[in-house]
Amino acid sequence: MHTGCGRGWLLAAALSTALAGQGMMRQAAPRERRVVTQGTVTIGGASVAYTATAGTLLLRDARQRPIASVFYTAYTRNGPAAARPITFVYNGGPGSSSVWLHLGGLGPKRVVVPDAATPKGAPFTLTNNGDSILDATDLVFIDPVGTGYSHPVDGASGKQFWGVDEDVRAMGATIEAYLTQYQRWNSPKFILGESYGTFRSAALANYLQTQGVQLNGVMLLSSVLNFEASSFSPGNDLPFILFLPSYTAIAWYHHQLTPQPAHLRPLLQQVEAFAFQTYAPALLEGDRLPAAARQKLAAQLARYTGLSASAWERADLRVNAVEFEQRLLASEGRVTGRLDARYTGANVNPLWPARAYPVMQSSILGAFTAGIRTYLAEDLHYTTTRPYLVSNGAVGRAWDWKHRTPFVNFGARPGFTDVVPDLRRAMVTNPHLRLMVNEAYYDLGTPFFATEYTLAQLKLPAALAGHVEIQHYRVGHMLYLNDSARDKLHTNLERFIASTLAAQH
């Protein structure tokens, strides 16, 4: 349902009911803000003039009562906007702001950080981002409620937005509010998410289209679409199979394989075949696997991962990601990062069964926190007394993982959350929708083979199979932190946008 005053879009009536049932005292909601500045960025040797808008949108419930203030940063290329593509961008978490994609790879400015290493310290530098995709599409970076400057208002509770379906409704409402306020309903529309943002995108694409927002394309970076493929839970052997090629890639990067193959991709093709054809059937055997076969398999796993055969046997042929992070470089007293295993750090307690600290995130958090706080205040002139929450752990801890699938699943029981059916429905009901997936070899958060396995379960009609493309990068989770990968990502995203629009018109 539309709201004629341009102050946001109506959320589902369920949010209104939940709020009314809590009997909270209401206070005056903040007004929407909008701070506009002008800028230029040089991309591919050409100067692109743009308008930057840092502002908020108020989300309202079915009774027109404000329930959230959502912060966004929009960049629109100067000139006619009606037919120009617009892309809505967000990160994941749950509980992450959009700072990583904003100042890491896609916005007109980026934070300068060394690749796979910790920056030396403040002052950090913001520089022209020649790999921004602003030359191909307008960009709107959205901070979900509870992150950045976005927050509940007027007595609303954060938990009303902190769940798979609650988040999709809120993000959908934000996008609809922006399209209304800036008269962009008839512009070509794309969504782009990273990490949990890809999970959000699959469900959001389907939700938006049920609301009349027909997307042209969906772009995913470091994807997770079905948590069964990455959850090391008792009785779930799937992740052990799907993480194995990532273990191989990371061991190859750190020169832990004996012998060390010269080229990565042929090795990965060999390991992928082994994972499905040999390793998976062996795990299915369980205790029935003969001792000789177990020893032979452990020896092969050792050759593919750099871990010893005895370690694989002690682990019952099942090494989870945390164990791999801690064991691969144990002889050097080092651990690898999870999201980007090219990063390494000191192993402060080798006996701990869990990672002591997030190696990769710890390396870059300070630079991005200082960068966004400085950039918003000094460059975009957006000031507030609220802290900018780069990441909010409370969101993830309170997250409701229940999800209503768009298809009837007879006999289903609560289990791993899966949005592959949502993405399938979005692509079937909109047969022009295109999907681009970008994945990294050294990522243990969203391993590439797990993504490819999940996409193979889309079960699209043959006529739509060509609407999905996959791109690989020899980096970690945040593809854009590496200069050459960021340049490749820029080229691929721009080509995808252009080819999508060409195919649809």
Side-chain angles (χ1 to χ4, degrees):
M1 181 179 295
H2 292 272
T3 169
C5 61
R7 286 196 176 275
W9 209 259
L10 298 184
L11 282 175
L15 293 180
S16 173
T17 302
L19 183 58
Q22 294 174 17
M24 295 181 179
M25 182 177 295
R26 293 187 166 276
Q27 301 174 351
R31 294 183 177 181
E32 289 184 340
R33 292 186 60 189
R34 185 190 306 182
V35 180
V36 179
T37 55
Q38 301 296 319
T40 59
V41 57
T42 301
I43 304 173
S47 179
V48 176
Y50 63 85
T51 298
T53 304
T56 59
L57 293 166
L58 286 181
L59 302 186
R60 296 176 181 271
D61 65 18
R63 299 182 184 180
Q64 286 289 296
R65 297 178 302 190
I67 54 176
S69 174
V70 178
F71 180 75
Y72 67 92
T73 310
Y75 301 96
T76 56
R77 187 170 183 172
N78 293 348
R84 182 170 165 75
I86 186 168
T87 302
F88 296 92
V89 185
Y90 35 79
N91 278 89
S96 175
S97 68
S98 63
V99 63
W100 313 107
L101 286 169
H102 186 177
L103 293 187
L106 301 186
K109 299 286 186 181
R110 67 176 180 88
V111 177
V112 178
V113 293
D115 183 41
T118 302
K120 292 182 178 180
F124 301 105
T125 302
L126 283 171
T127 189
N128 177 89
N129 183 15
D131 292 315
S132 172
I133 58 172
L134 186 55
D135 55 337
T137 175
D138 292 339
L139 295 165
V140 183
F141 296 91
I142 301 172
D143 291 334
V145 177
T147 73
Y149 290 138
S150 301
H151 59 94
V153 300
D154 205 11
S157 166
K159 290 186 178 181
Q160 294 172 234
F161 309 92
W162 298 346
V164 175
D165 292 345
E166 294 86 348
D167 170 74
V168 165
R169 289 194 293 265
M171 293 295 281
T174 301
I175 290 172
E176 292 182 67
Y178 185 94
L179 295 174
T180 299
Q181 187 164 113
Y182 292 96
Q183 300 179 1
R184 298 299 298 269
W185 274 91
N186 207 30
S187 298
K189 292 173 280 293
F190 293 80
I191 57 176
L192 189 157
E194 180 182 45
S195 196
Y196 181 84
T198 65
F199 190 86
R200 171 189 290 133
S201 290
L204 182 58
N206 179 57
Y207 175 80
L208 283 172
Q209 293 184 173
T210 66
Q211 306 302 301
V213 183
Q214 183 165 330
L215 297 174
N216 296 75
V218 176
M219 297 172 280
L220 307 180
L221 276 63
S222 304
S223 302
V224 55
L225 301 175
N226 180 354
F227 279 96
E228 182 180 14
S230 58
S231 298
F232 291 97
S233 302
N236 180 27
D237 282 335
L238 191 56
F240 297 101
I241 300 163
L242 299 179
F243 274 63
L244 184 61
S246 293
Y247 294 171
T248 300
I250 293 162
W252 181 88
Y253 176 84
H254 288 290
H255 298 278
Q256 296 297 306
L257 299 179
T258 305
Q260 174 81 6
H263 303 289
L264 177 60
R265 188 57 214 165
L267 172 64
L268 290 180
Q269 291 173 337
Q270 181 181 348
V271 175
E272 289 167 10
F274 169 81
F276 276 160
Q277 298 169 15
T278 305
Y279 186 38
L283 294 187
L284 289 176
E285 287 287 334
D287 292 342
R288 296 171 298 183
L289 187 68
R294 181 180 299 271
Q295 292 172 357
K296 181 179 179 181
L297 189 64
Q300 187 63 64
L301 288 167
R303 287 192 290 272
Y304 282 150
T305 64
L307 305 186
S308 68
S310 61
W312 277 103
E313 288 200 64
R314 289 195 306 272
D316 193 27
L317 305 178
R318 296 164 175 84
V319 172
N320 67 39
V322 175
E323 293 166 342
F324 181 79
E325 293 165 31
Q326 295 191 229
R327 290 181 179 180
L328 181 65
L329 303 177
S331 63
E332 304 172 15
R334 310 288 289 174
V335 294
T336 73
R338 170 178 171 261
L339 295 183
D340 191 335
R342 298 176 306 147
Y343 288 76
T344 64
N347 193 344
V348 297
N349 194 332
L351 300 181
W352 284 5
R355 60 179 66 88
Y357 63 100
V359 176
M360 181 263 195
Q361 300 95 305
S362 299
S363 297
I364 63 173
L365 178 61
F368 276 83
T369 302
I372 192 66
R373 295 293 293 268
T374 302
Y375 175 65
L376 290 176
E378 297 183 4
D379 290 58
L380 301 190
H381 307 301
Y382 189 95
T383 58
T384 175
T385 58
R386 300 188 66 87
Y388 186 93
L389 299 178
V390 169
S391 181
N392 185 356
V395 174
R397 290 189 295 271
W399 202 255
D400 184 350
W401 289 96
K402 292 191 298 295
H403 173 53
R404 183 182 293 274
T405 179
F407 294 106
V408 175
N409 189 2
F410 294 103
R413 297 291 184 270
F416 300 102
T417 313
D418 179 12
V419 292
V420 171
D422 300 72
L423 185 55
R424 179 190 309 132
R425 188 181 189 279
M427 299 189 72
V428 169
T429 57
N430 176 8
H432 305 290
L433 183 65
R434 302 262 172 155
L435 174 68
M436 181 189 195
V437 180
N438 301 272
E439 52 191 32
Y441 286 140
Y442 309 129
D443 177 6
L444 285 176
T446 58
F448 70 94
F449 198 46
T451 298
E452 293 175 14
Y453 164 84
T454 305
L455 290 172
Q457 314 309 313
L458 267 174
K459 300 180 177 64
L460 294 175
L464 302 183
H467 290 191
V468 179
E469 74 167 86
I470 301 175
Q471 296 290 336
H472 298 94
Y473 303 78
R474 295 194 182 191
V475 288
H477 192 80
M478 296 179 177
L479 313 172
Y480 38 81
L481 295 183
N482 174 274
D483 290 344
S484 60
R486 186 175 58 252
D487 178 70
K488 178 181 177 181
L489 179 64
H490 167 267
T491 299
N492 286 337
L493 292 176
E494 290 207 338
R495 176 191 47 74
F496 173 77
I497 293 171
S499 63
T500 295
L501 295 181
Q504 294 173 352
H505 295 89

